[in-house]
Amino acid sequence: MSNCAIVGINWGDEGKGRMVDLVTQDYDVVIRYQGGSNAGHTVINEYGKFGLHLLPSGIFRKGVVNILGNGVALDCEALWEEMSGVMAAGVSITPDNLKISERTPLLLPYHRDLDSLEEARLKDKKYGSTKRGIAPFYSDKYQKKVILAGELFHPEHLKAHLADILEWKNLTVEKVYGAQPYKLEDMLAWLDEFGGKIKPFICNTVTFLRDAQAAGKKFLFEAQLGALRDLDFGIIPYTTSSNAIAAYAPVGAGCPGIKLDEVIGVVKAYSTCVGEGPFTCEWFGEEADKLREAGGEYGVSTGRPRRVGPIDIVATRYGVQMQGATNIALTKLDILSYMDKIPVCARYELHGEMTDEFPFPVDLNDAKPVIEYLDGWKEDIAGVRRWEDLPKAAQDYVLYVEKAIGCHIGYVSVGPERDAIILR
């Protein structure tokens, strides 16, 4: 397939980074099209283990061009820190293999501060923000009050534009939150330091992508988070502030005329969730602790313990539909090997009735999981590389999920390493 998107089907943290790292070998360009440094992708390869937040996961593959598209919330400081860590591990990052769209808006320090101030104001009604400035940033973007990366090449214009924005922004900072106003010289100094470091990578990626398409290059689009965190179709208001669905990929990447040929949806073999909001299949206590430890379920960006539970068929089927998934990668199947019986949230009970439909966000608070159990396999499968070598109970679990969500499972991951994958 010439153009493919790799997206999350659930709440995020499904293992998208390891899938991008795996399939990038078949693509020429990898494009991150939305989100910021608020979520991470874990990649393990010959260079080591990395938690990527802004860098596309194709950065480790030689000959692949990686792009940060116009839909991204670009924190220059966070990006440079990430680039420095990756380069220190021996990975080459140059303007040839990393390009930043000149149309990408910049997330500034006051966005991060405002995120924290708003979460503090909400108190027990907080949204569970990572406090990386994402919601204030996207709010400003749609009010057309952001600095674009390309403005770094126009210092006089940049200074005047930023002054106008700060005059407006400080009204909120001072009068709503009672915080100290931001000074123009401080923001310019921050942009000079960190914007200056990424300037060599900023270019007209729209033209680059158009020319690459004409040359027959193959594009891989990388999403952040998952369908249930999508701004329009997720568990509002406990979502991110951008569109994590595949349909947005060409727009956020800077090539809106391109069509997707394949959508690989990533699903974890059990459910995890970082942050606030309804999570119907959630486990608590010792049962949750055991699964969390077995899977190493802690947020890549925040280190927060992830909420965990059995796979949620209702939410997963909905995510498959919203993403328009054509193929599924089922990750972390090996983690379930310790269980005698494998639990599955097969449907919901809502207002006294059974339902297979994912509810409206308000109704999720009243949804109860209906659990079914499949046989466990009780053996280590981390070394398995062929479908026929999986225990029958493990095969039955994969086939059950495949039928229930209505989409072929073409990849089964049994470990975090690049080669720990079974192709079907």
Side-chain angles (χ1 to χ4, degrees), residues 316-349:
T316 301
R317 185 189 301 116
Y318 173 78
V320 166
Q321 294 165 351
M322 292 301 99
Q323 294 286 17
T326 60
N327 200 352
I328 294 295
L330 187 70
T331 62
K332 288 198 167 185
L333 183 66
D334 56 304
I335 301 303
L336 301 180
S337 296
Y338 75 91
M339 295 182 178
D340 294 312
K341 292 287 185 178
I342 311 298
V344 173
C345 175
R347 56 191 57 86
Y348 293 168
E349 179 184 339

Side-chain angles (χ1 to χ4, degrees), residues 345-356:
C345 175
R347 56 191 57 86
Y348 293 168
E349 179 184 339
L350 183 62
H351 307 312
E353 297 184 358
M354 297 296 176
T355 182
D356 293 317

Side-chain angles (χ1 to χ4, degrees), residues 33-35 69-74 103-107 110-111 133-148 165 168-169 231 241-243 248 251-254:
Y33 65 84
Q34 50 81 223
N70 50 276
V72 171
L74 180 56
R103 291 180 174 269
T104 304
L106 304 182
L107 187 152
Y110 56 73
H111 290 124
I134 303 302
F137 163 85
Y138 279 110
S139 176
D140 284 4
K141 175 179 177 178
Y142 287 101
Q143 293 188 78
K144 302 174 291 292
K145 296 185 184 297
V146 287
I147 301 296
L148 301 183
I165 290 175
W168 165 78
K169 180 60 67 178
L231 180 60
S241 298
S242 63
N243 290 106
Y248 182 72
V251 176

Side-chain angles (χ1 to χ4, degrees), residues 16-17 32 39-43 50-53 57 222-225 300:
K16 294 180 294 297
R32 173 74 179 277
H41 292 167
T42 300
V43 174
F50 303 89
L52 302 184
H53 308 277
S57 300
E222 181 178 9
Q224 177 210 64
L225 296 169
V300 178

